[in-house]
Amino acid sequence: MSNTRNISETPDRWVVVKIDNKLDTPFYKVFATWTGGYLDGDRWKLNSGIKLVESDEDYYYFIGHSGSCYKCHKKGYGTASSYGERVLMDMIENSYKINATVNVLPEDIEWGELLNQNKDEKN
């Protein structure tokens, strides 16, 4: 595991989406959601694209192309609220507008292997 990790975000819930524009190799992003409290609302964020995945017993660490690191609990796969679910569904339904498809990947994937496979496909 890297000692250079700089945790940028720790979402309440998260999913990995595959984005395919049919011209390039598909790429993968973390769609993260948080449940708001009394003074702030629910929120969501999409990372810059997964460059590297590290893990320990409880967490995955998704390092993005921008250098950000999303610390995602292994038992936190999903969306945090109906708001986050709605944003994600809108993203999926409207992806055709940019000639792409967006799909939520199942949670039982070995994330590091998926990214290594994706790199092999590019070569």
Side-chain angles (χ1 to χ4, degrees):
M1 212 169 349
S2 172
N3 291 328
T4 60
R5 228 186 284 125
N6 184 16
I7 308 298
S8 305
E9 301 287 352
T10 306
D12 294 335
R13 305 283 297 203
W14 60 279
V15 296
V16 172
V17 295
K18 176 183 177 183
I19 302 171
D20 187 357
N21 68 6
K22 299 178 184 45
L23 298 174
D24 297 320
T25 303
F27 55 100
Y28 304 89
K29 292 188 174 209
V30 175
F31 179 82
T33 57
W34 292 262
T35 304
Y38 175 71
L39 296 176
D40 56 346
D42 296 350
R43 68 184 182 101
W44 66 274
K45 202 169 185 181
L46 192 65
N47 86 330
S48 60
I50 301 169
K51 181 178 177 180
L52 178 68
V53 181
E54 298 177 347
S55 66
D56 61 25
E57 189 174 316
D58 295 318
Y59 291 92
Y60 291 111
Y61 300 88
F62 293 97
I63 293 86
H65 292 287
S66 69
S68 66
C69 178
Y70 282 51
K71 179 182 177 184
C72 300
H73 198 282
K74 290 181 176 180
K75 293 183 180 176
Y77 203 78
T79 55
S81 66
S82 58
Y83 168 72
E85 181 75 20
R86 189 170 55 252
V87 169
L88 182 57
M89 291 301 107
D90 286 347
M91 189 182 307
I92 290 168
E93 289 172 7
N94 290 304
S95 61
Y96 76 92
K97 293 178 181 178
I98 58 167
N99 295 318
T101 57
V102 176
N103 293 294
V104 176
L105 297 179
E107 81 176 289
D108 61 350
I109 290 178
E110 175 51 53
W111 303 113
E113 287 179 20
L114 175 72
L115 294 172
N116 288 335
Q117 175 186 346
N118 192 41
K119 287 177 188 174
D120 293 341
E121 290 173 0
K122 287 182 180 181
N123 295 329

